[in-house]
Amino acid sequence: MKKVLVTLALATLSSVALADKQAVTVILSAESGMTQGMAMVLANQMQEQGGQVDILLCDKAGDLALKGAGGTPLKPKDVTPAQLLDAAMKKGATASVCAIYLPNTGHKPDMLKDGIAPAKPDAMGRALMEPNRKVVAF
């Protein structure tokens, strides 16, 4: 009976651990294509390893959120940072631009890719304060 209870307890704990994904916020503001690319590569890897990734794009990195965002393909996979962002979003990552991105660049909300909107500072601040959230900035 004791073994059964221990087995049930371990199974329950394992299920709970699998259900709770590690929350990760990736803040990207770098202008460098290689830095943007590496940030998106790591965001995709964190997703594949069980993370729930939220991407915040600020300054020049906000341009990745624009429809038709291009960029120089990076080796070895010959993909752009914008394509890596799209891949992360297709796998469930959320993405937003900094709240001050649109008003300071002259871009309009309809210029953003589907699924991307300006971040709400109060909600973003609350998320960044979550005790178990990892925050990675580039």
Side-chain angles (χ1 to χ4, degrees):
M1 182 67 165
K2 194 174 189 180
K3 284 184 179 181
V4 171
L5 290 175
V6 169
T7 302
L8 284 173
L10 288 174
T12 301
L13 288 174
S14 296
S15 297
V16 170
L18 289 174
D20 292 335
K21 291 185 168 192
Q22 172 66 56
V24 180
T25 297
V26 175
I27 302 172
L28 177 57
S29 61
E31 185 174 354
S32 163
M34 280 195 270
T35 302
Q36 291 176 355
M38 196 65 230
M40 294 299 96
V41 165
L42 292 175
N44 278 279
Q45 283 298 311
M46 287 185 277
Q47 273 187 294
E48 289 177 22
Q49 295 177 32
Q52 172 50 53
V53 177
D54 302 309
I55 301 167
L56 179 62
L57 302 166
C58 301
D59 205 353
K60 288 293 184 182
D63 294 349
L64 297 177
L66 297 173
K67 292 176 183 172
T72 304
L74 300 169
K75 295 182 184 314
K77 303 267 185 180
D78 291 321
V79 293
T80 67
Q83 290 170 322
L84 290 165
L85 170 63
D86 294 344
M89 291 177 63
K90 284 179 185 167
K91 292 184 281 187
T94 63
S96 56
V97 292
C98 286
I100 61 174
Y101 175 77
L102 293 177
N104 287 285
T105 61
H107 298 304
K108 303 293 180 214
D110 64 348
M111 298 170 81
L112 297 174
K113 294 177 182 179
D114 291 339
I116 299 180
K120 294 184 176 13
D122 60 331
M124 184 57 65
R126 205 170 23 261
L128 293 173
M129 295 289 293
E130 292 172 359
N132 294 322
R133 178 174 294 274
K134 294 193 181 293
V135 179
V136 184
F138 295 89

